[in-house]
Amino acid sequence: MTPWNCPNCGAPAHVYPGQTVATCTYCKQSFPLAGTAPTPPPQPVQPIIVIAPGEPSPRSIAMPVRRTAAGCGVVSALVPLVIFGVVGFFVYSGLRTGGLVAGGWNGSEPLVCGGNDSVEATGVTVTYASGAGINAGGNCHVKCTRCSVKGPIGVVAGGNAEVDLFDSRIEAPQAVVAGGNAHVRMLGSSSVVGQIVKSGNADVTAPPGTPTLGATPPAPTPPAPPRRPTR
């Protein structure tokens, strides 16, 4: 059989060799075959890409996209490293005010803290020619373990500051000067060479026998009533 198309509806019609008239099986239209060539099967249409003048070609478009994606990947990988470096710099260098390093005290300078600071130190041994070794104010909380402070003044605390010294030693004419609502506690095996000066509502816990100025004097003992003579 030879493939033909109906000239009336375009449907395919099968024609046998030697046949001169064919009848369409779809529209029932008869048509002569003499002098009519079979319709060739449709060929696949190839896509045509038209690029207007001045527009980039498909290759020139794809390449920058790949380079841009790679660049974004590199930038995304570097962002955490940059943030980590900046934070580390400020933690190490930006918190050195008053001898502070990352929330601790290294003893290179007198300790000065205030606000809501919280400072911890261990094994710091320092000697100062002037001023106080530890200056705490505001709501600052200082915790020092096995620390040794020598100088004219050991600890100055005011406001609502709290200074806790564990197994530490203070050698100063004025070992502790506390005022306001401050609390200074010498705990464990701590020792004090010097005197305690208190004012306001300050509270100082020091080893027994430490001389204290500003302490509340004991209430006077009322005199005993006179004894009646016995007969």
Side-chain angles (χ1 to χ4, degrees), residues 10-21:
H14 298 287
V15 179
Y16 294 92
Q19 188 176 353
T20 59
V21 178

Side-chain angles (χ1 to χ4, degrees), residues 17-34:
Q19 188 176 353
T20 59
V21 178
T23 300
C24 178
T25 58
Y26 294 94
C27 67
K28 308 303 181 180
Q29 179 70 31
S30 297
F31 54 92
L33 301 177

Side-chain angles (χ1 to χ4, degrees), residues 110-207:
L111 171 58
V112 179
C113 71
N116 296 313
D117 294 341
S118 179
V119 183
E120 293 188 14
T122 301
V124 176
T125 300
V126 290
T127 301
Y128 300 107
S130 62
I134 298 176
N135 299 269
N139 296 313
C140 175
H141 186 190
V142 178
K143 178 181 178 181
C144 199
T145 303
R146 298 190 305 276
C147 296
S148 177
V149 180
K150 297 180 181 180
I153 303 175
V155 176
V156 173
N160 296 312
E162 295 187 9
V163 179
D164 295 327
L165 305 176
F166 296 88
D167 303 329
S168 300
R169 181 177 178 83
I170 298 179
E171 295 184 29
Q174 294 183 341
V176 177
V177 178
N181 296 313
H183 293 269
V184 179
R185 293 175 281 265
M186 304 287 294
L187 306 173
S189 59
S190 297
S191 60
V192 175
V193 177
Q195 64 181 6
I196 307 298
V197 180
K198 296 196 306 180
S199 62
N201 296 318
D203 179 64
V204 178
T205 302

